[in-house]
Amino acid sequence: MTLTLTDRARTSAPASAPASEAVPAPVPAPRRAAGREADGLAVASFVLGLVGLLAFNLLLGPTAIVMALLSLARRTRRPGRAYLGLALGVADLVVLAVLVTVNGTVSWNLGG
């Protein structure tokens, strides 16, 4: 005996309800793109940490660190990028500390 979709709906209906008022099967809720969001945070932290080595390290370093930690907390599928973003964010702050210590300024001086 083969059951069709209509037969299953009729068999799942309560005994007191008529067959035409069968309860439909629950539709799965749309899955949220949390994995994609965490992956995006990992890539963004990597890019911000990389750019922060050259400019705006006071702003981009901590931002890269926060984004990397958020992506790791949300279980990204790209943990390597998140760890690189974290390391580059810390490196941004180290570069900032070295610039402040050596030159007494928070800006690059390539001229000499």
Side-chain angles (χ1 to χ4, degrees):
M1 175 175 141
T2 347
L3 290 177
T4 63
L5 183 59
T6 309
D7 293 332
R8 287 186 199 146
R10 286 183 187 153
T11 57
S12 66
S16 62
S20 62
E21 295 180 19
V23 178
V27 178
R31 194 174 140 180
R32 191 170 165 233
R36 290 186 65 195
E37 182 179 312
D39 292 346
L41 283 172
V43 172
S45 70
F46 171 72
V47 170
L48 289 178
L50 197 59
V51 172
L53 286 174
L54 302 174
F56 301 116
N57 49 4
L58 180 63
L59 177 69
L60 296 181
T63 305
I65 292 171
V66 169
M67 292 177 100
L69 292 175
L70 280 174
S71 68
L72 288 171
R74 293 180 183 177
R75 300 193 184 271
T76 180
R77 292 178 299 196
R78 298 179 181 200
R81 293 250 170 91
Y83 285 122
L84 276 173
L86 183 64
L88 287 171
V90 171
D92 291 347
L93 296 179
V94 168
V95 167
L96 176 66
V98 168
L99 285 175
V100 169
T101 303
V102 172
N103 293 337
T105 182
V106 292
S107 63
W108 286 89
N109 187 6
L110 300 176

